[in-house]
Amino acid sequence: MPLTSKGFPLFLTFDLDAETMWTARDPAYANRPILMSQGAYGWKVGTGRILDLLDRYGIKSTFFVPGLVIDQREALIEEILRRGHELAHHSYSHAWILSLTPEQEREEMERGWQSIKRVSGRAPRGWRSPAAEISPITMPMLVEYGFDYSSNFFDDDSPYLHTVEGRETRLVELPFRWVLDDAPFFQYSIVLPGRTMQAPSALLEAWKSEFDVLHAEDRMMMVGMHPQIIGQPSRLKVLEAFIQYALGHSGVWIGRCDEMVEDMRPGLERARAEARR
């Protein structure tokens, strides 16, 4: 049975971390203008290129944005919303959760939630962790805040419903893996781990191969990108090539996370009920 009514779900998502990719690791980096300019590229240049590319193909997507970036770049966030994209929760300051106390983590959640509510007029439906980590209080807090979906775990190629503290929930997981993220291919900074700069063709080869298998198996594909990385000219060109490749296949739905989750949840709930029998 297909996961959605519109075919194979392909998620093209963007984490607009901007300068927080650096300042969350060390606030003193804010005093290093060249480091900060690498993050600023995301909001000054990269996001605009991405929005124009998505418009050319009639694609609506999801942007995971820290609340701090929302507060600092409200005009850009309003433009993202004006073009019909979803704004999802990505913490407030992009702080690494494992370095926070429970009180600090809750503050990150609340402040980011409020930033999204203020600029969009609605509560965020989805949440993605900064730095791909969670704490013991994270998942219960997602349930408490009424999130519809999480996109954090690496344990499957298909969506599933979370069980949190022994209770079945409506929280849908949209799993991804590092091979479906642009950072392992292109993230290069003298102060961040994992410095690498591969040819754009390496990313295209990997993502096309992943797509072929996942599409054939009727699963899903969650791609995570960063405007300061994928928004650079050669990388954007390869993203367009991947979009063209995916759309060359029948029954592919590229859309917003919230809309696709709403479409697939009834099937996931039916499958869970059948598994209990």
Side-chain angles (χ1 to χ4, degrees), residues 88-274:
H89 202 315
H90 195 39
S91 80
Y92 185 76
S93 69
H94 205 262
W96 197 353
I97 282 177
L98 295 186
S99 69
L100 302 177
T101 66
E103 293 76 20
Q104 289 171 328
E105 182 181 350
R106 179 169 289 277
E107 181 181 9
E108 286 276 318
M109 174 64 74
E110 178 63 22
R111 293 183 71 188
W113 192 95
Q114 291 294 347
S115 294
I116 290 174
K117 182 71 164 20
R118 178 181 56 79
V119 76
S120 70
R122 58 171 290 183
R125 308 318 308 154
W127 184 82
R128 176 172 286 163
S129 166
E133 294 285 359
I134 66 170
S135 79
I137 73 165
T138 305
M139 298 307 294
M141 200 156 50
L142 295 187
V143 175
E144 174 190 339
Y145 272 79
F147 282 95
D148 285 329
Y149 69 90
S150 149
S151 182
N152 296 286
F153 286 81
F154 291 52
D155 55 348
D156 210 328
D157 289 319
S158 299
Y160 59 88
L161 292 165
H162 275 288
T163 297
V164 178
E165 295 184 320
R167 296 183 179 181
E168 293 181 347
T169 76
R170 298 179 70 252
L171 182 65
V172 175
E173 180 62 36
L174 302 175
F176 76 115
R177 288 170 287 113
W178 285 125
V179 71
L180 300 178
D181 191 296
D182 60 355
F185 293 89
F186 302 133
Q187 180 171 286
Y188 190 95
S189 173
I190 60 173
V191 299
L192 297 182
R195 283 190 284 171
T196 183
M197 196 177 295
Q198 299 186 42
S201 58
L203 179 145
L204 183 59
E205 179 183 355
W207 288 3
K208 286 168 65 176
S209 296
E210 291 281 327
F211 176 90
D212 288 343
V213 174
L214 297 172
H215 184 264
E217 293 181 354
D218 289 323
R219 292 180 180 266
M220 57 161 272
M221 185 170 179
M222 169 58 73
V223 178
M225 295 167 280
H226 303 78
Q228 63 266 29
I229 297 176
I230 203 70
Q232 298 185 34
S234 60
R235 288 91 177 265
L236 195 78
K237 185 176 179 180
V238 85
L239 173 58
E240 182 168 18
F242 176 67
I243 289 172
Q244 292 172 344
Y245 181 78
L247 292 178
H249 294 70
S250 61
V252 175
W253 180 13
I254 307 176
R256 295 167 43 136
C257 294
D258 57 348
E259 293 176 350
M260 286 200 275
V261 163
E262 195 66 25
D263 189 270
M264 67 174 53
R265 182 183 283 108
L268 295 175
E269 291 178 334
R270 284 194 299 270
R272 181 168 64 183
E274 291 171 1

